[in-house]
Amino acid sequence: MEPLEHVAWPPEPIKTERLVLRESEARDRTAFVELLASPEVNTYLGGPRPRDEVERETPEVPGRWPGSFVVELDGTMIGHILLRRATKHRPAAVGKADLGYLFLPRAWGFGYAAEACAAALDWFDGVLPGEPVVLATQTANVGSMRLAAKLGFTEVERFEAWGAEQWLGMRSPVTP
Ligand SMILES: CC(C)(COP(=O)(O)OP(=O)(O)OC[C@H]1O[C@@H](n2cnc3c(N)ncnc32)[C@H](O)[C@@H]1OP(=O)(O)O)[C@@H](O)C(=O)NCCC(=O)NCCS
């Protein structure tokens, strides 16, 4: 995966009903460490990394690149949305923009991920109009599968990788 190219970055913070999407800042570091080290967050992402290793290797301002949104609720980071250019991937996905999302467990079950991802996809439609977006997730990751459906992704294929069944979805470009 590579950062998105040819997009003006960072955009003005994006406000939704309950959330703000913005570029990462140094004060978000603790939440980034939590996302990487949390067993719950990483259940379907290959497992958590040891916290001391994450602490050592996480930069002062993590996740600062075009297409990387910190999601903030009441001034505190609750999640990370990643829009990246797929490089090594399934043939159907190579070269396309890829959506990823990670939220802290205490923020699950309120519709925040859906609200924030919809806003990120709106932003994407504005800066790279007419481009599809792909998304890969384990089929066992029920919350992620439901979110993908809510966001308008439909199945391209299922495949085996890393010892589990994976789902590749695509969201067709919005035509005005
Ligand atoms: C995947 C993940 C982001 C989903 O989070 P989530 O909070 O379940 O997702 P949503 O924002 O769609 O919220 C869903 C729930 O909020 C509920 N909800 C509560 N209040 C709501 C509101 N005001 N508006 C909308 N939904 C609301 C919905 O009913 C929904 O529950 P349901 O899916 O059981 O019907 C989260 O589980 C996560 O971060 N997982 C770890 C990382 C990961 O696996 N990422 C995928 C990598 S591809």
Side-chain angles (χ1 to χ4, degrees):
M1 299 281 185
E2 301 278 340
L4 292 179
E5 65 300 321
H6 311 308
V7 296
W9 192 265
E12 285 297 309
I14 298 168
K15 293 194 171 77
T16 69
E17 216 179 305
R18 299 176 291 178
L19 307 167
V20 177
L21 278 68
R22 57 163 174 81
E23 185 183 37
S24 160
E25 295 172 10
R27 64 187 165 104
D28 304 317
R29 191 175 179 281
T30 311
F32 273 99
V33 169
E34 191 56 38
L35 286 176
L36 291 163
S38 157
E40 281 165 287
V41 172
N42 292 281
T43 304
Y44 303 105
L45 303 175
R49 287 170 52 205
R51 186 172 293 267
D52 56 346
E53 182 192 298
V54 173
E55 273 292 352
R56 262 198 322 274
E57 292 175 7
T58 302
E60 207 172 317
V61 186
R64 195 166 203 168
W65 39 268
S68 165
F69 286 102
V70 159
V71 180
E72 184 183 281
L73 170 71
D74 299 332
T76 304
M77 175 171 173
I78 58 161
H80 185 206
I81 293 181
L82 307 86
L83 277 161
R84 294 174 291 181
R85 186 65 62 191
T87 46
K88 283 186 202 138
H89 207 313
R90 306 292 290 174
V94 169
K96 296 198 172 67
D98 174 286
L99 175 69
Y101 35 72
L102 303 146
F103 282 72
L104 293 171
R106 62 179 171 78
W108 296 0
F110 300 101
Y112 294 142
E115 186 172 319
C117 288
L121 289 168
D122 275 353
W123 169 83
F124 181 85
D125 290 337
V127 295
L128 293 170
E131 275 204 38
V133 179
V134 296
L135 180 163
T137 187
Q138 285 191 22
T139 52
N141 192 348
V142 174
S144 177
M145 290 288 286
R146 289 165 81 111
L147 175 57
K150 259 182 269 180
L151 294 170
F153 286 81
T154 55
E155 181 171 321
V156 175
E157 61 171 336
R158 290 172 188 236
F159 59 98
E160 284 291 316
W162 309 289
E165 186 183 55
Q166 313 285 330
W167 186 88
L168 178 69
M170 193 170 332
R171 173 183 172 268
S172 295
V174 178
T175 41

